Structure formats: C-alpha cells, structure tokens
Amino acid sequence: MNELPLPTLADVQDAHEMIRPHIFRTPLVRSHRLGKICGCELYFKLENSQFTGSFKDRGVSNKLARLGDPELKKGVITASAGNHAQAVAAHCGRMNISATIVMPLGTPLIKVVSTQGYGSEVILHGETYDDAYDRAMELAHTKSLTFIPAFNDLHVVAGQGTIALEIMEEMPEGPDVLICPVGGGGLIGGIALTFKRLRPQTHIVGVQSQAVPGMITALNTGKVVRVDAAGSLADGIAVRQVGELTLALAQRYVDEWTAVQEEQIANAVLLLLENEKTVAEGAGAVPVAALVN
C-alpha cells in the first residue's frame, strides 16, 4: 500500500502566496489580563476577524484556486456545521461558482442565513456534521459536483497552515507553546507541520470537546473511527470522524492532547467576553478552557 501523501512546508508556503489577495491577515494580540490570570505571556491569533469569521477562508481559498475549470464549471458541494459553509459560499460567490452546502438540521439560523446570503443553495439534513457529510457525498456523486472537504484534504490543510507562517513572521522567537482547537484536524495539521519544520521546539497542544473527541479517540485506537454523537457548546469542532490525512498529521506533528468539559468551555467563553471583550463561539474558546483548567 502506498504511503498517504501529506502536505509539506512547501505546500503551505505556496498557499501563503496563492491566497494572500483573498484573505485578511488577522492580528496576533497580547492578552495582558488573561495572561496574568494564567501566569504566562499569552497571545491570541484572532481568526474571528477573518472575512467570514473563521480560519476556514484560508483552506477554502487555496482549494478552489487549485481546481481546474472543468471541476469549477460543474459546481461545488460541501458539508459544514457553519464556518466552512460560509467560507465556501463566500469564495464561490467571489469566483462566480455555483455552490451547494449541506448543513445539519441544528445549525444556528444565523449561520444558515449568512451562507445563503453569499448566494449558495443550503440543504439542511441530519442531526450531525457527519450526517450532512454523508448526504453531500451522495449528491456529489449523483449530480457530478466537485466536493470541497472541510479538513481532510492536502490543499485545505496547507491553507490553514498559513496561520503558522503569519505567527512566526510576527514572533520569530516564539511561541513556546501553541494551543489549538481540533475538530476534523485540518487546522492543527497545517499549523503543526509548519511549526515542526521551521520551529520544532514549539510545543503543540490539541484540544477537543470531551463530548465529541473524534481525533483523540482515533489517536488512541490508531485508526479512523466514528465516535457517538453528542451535543456540545463547541459545535464547530463536534466532528465524530476525522480523516486519514489529518490523523496522520496529528500522529506525526502534535505533541500533546487534552479534552475539556462543557462547563469549562462555557467558562472560557465568559472569560474571553469579560477580559478581552471578544465574543468567541465555543469551538474558538476551547484553548482558553484548556489553559485555565
């Protein structure tokens, strides 16, 4: 069996140049108040200030840029609980590409409306992201649409890894530790491989919701598995089944793993609001939850 091809540092660097005109270089800001509470020098990379409100713009922009005209003309389809959906919709709108988005039935209405606002067709299906994913794959096959993965894709991962390049441009000497939220694993995969190639001494920590620990379970069993569905404040990372690509990256490049409980996530959202005046969704707050507990 051939070894699974993984993204490289060169892929991330190429993505950095490719997507530069289409994304926002998000700020890296020091948190004096929370840093004092946690007893460390603490910085946040504010991907919530990205054009569609999350890091997903990066991977989607890079993936779409790598597709040929025949694939784009067919139209694209994806599955998402919200953030990836909005990124696909926005950048397909920018490129005048037809897009269909399958979202779980419980997706917050604001994310559904925002996705539709970019001109994409939204189909609500299933109780979880994985249900929506299965439906999107069916439609991709029956309607000959090009599927845009949310995380398990070389070009998507490379796009997310551009965050690491931006951090190192502003902080060549650090950070000593980087804590990253993990759902399907595309974000931490891109960031971790980039740091381990350019600054291997940075300790990479992945954080999941204890309610849906898809990646941690896969790491413990040594293979991709689907965990039980469960509700979580961190719905954006409630991915029951990771991909082979992202699992391989996690095994190779991530130093430490932890899971946080729902009460800890809620407390982290409140801490960010009170101390940083930043409204973060649960998925974005899990690194703070891990740090303060």
Side-chain angles (χ1 to χ4, degrees), residues 173-178 195-196 199-204 253 255:
E173 75 292 348
D176 297 319
V177 179
L178 188 144
F195 268 102
K196 292 307 180 183
R199 196 182 185 281
Q201 61 269 43
T202 293
H203 188 77
I204 307 294
Y253 296 118
D255 300 301

Side-chain angles (χ1 to χ4, degrees), residues 15-179:
H16 195 39
E17 294 304 315
M18 178 68 72
I19 70 177
R20 193 187 299 272
H22 309 303
I23 64 152
F24 177 63
R25 185 187 176 99
T26 57
L28 180 68
V29 299
R30 184 173 180 181
S31 170
H32 293 279
R33 295 185 66 179
L34 273 180
K36 185 176 181 180
I37 292 172
C38 298
C40 64
E41 190 172 309
L42 180 63
Y43 293 82
F44 292 110
K45 181 66 167 162
L46 298 182
E47 285 295 295
N48 58 338
S49 62
Q50 198 55 258
F51 289 126
T52 64
S54 85
F55 68 91
K56 294 290 189 177
D57 280 335
R58 299 173 183 269
V60 168
S61 296
N62 193 45
K63 179 63 177 178
L64 290 175
R66 309 295 173 169
L67 296 176
D69 285 342
E71 294 171 297
L72 295 175
K73 287 179 180 178
K74 290 190 300 183
V76 306
I77 188 169
T78 196
S80 170
N83 291 330
H84 178 67
Q86 291 177 75
V88 170
H91 292 280
C92 283
R94 170 177 61 81
M95 299 172 69
N96 197 28
I97 300 166
S98 173
T100 301
I101 318 292
V102 185
M103 308 178 83
L105 290 167
T107 301
L109 180 60
I110 188 171
K111 291 187 176 183
V112 175
V113 173
S114 295
T115 303
Q116 292 172 325
Y118 292 113
S120 293
E121 177 188 0
V122 172
I123 298 173
L124 297 177
H125 177 85
E127 299 300 322
T128 68
Y129 162 79
D130 299 275
D131 295 332
Y133 171 85
D134 291 342
R135 179 58 177 158
M137 293 300 291
E138 291 174 5
L139 292 172
H141 176 71
T142 59
K143 295 188 175 184
S144 298
L145 301 173
T146 300
F147 185 77
I148 306 297
F151 49 82
N152 197 49
D153 178 87
L154 186 151
H155 296 305
V156 171
V157 169
Q160 322 300 30
T162 60
I163 292 174
L165 294 178
E166 290 184 7
I167 291 173
M168 283 184 271
E169 287 170 1
E170 295 190 51
M171 189 187 291
E173 75 292 348
D176 297 319
V177 179
L178 188 144
I179 308 175

Side-chain angles (χ1 to χ4, degrees), residues 3 9 12 46 48 79 111 172 176 189 223 239 243 249 256 282 288:
E3 185 177 352
L9 176 61
V12 178
L46 298 182
N48 58 338
K111 291 187 176 183
D176 297 319
K223 62 181 180 180
V239 178
L249 291 168
E256 182 181 347
V288 174

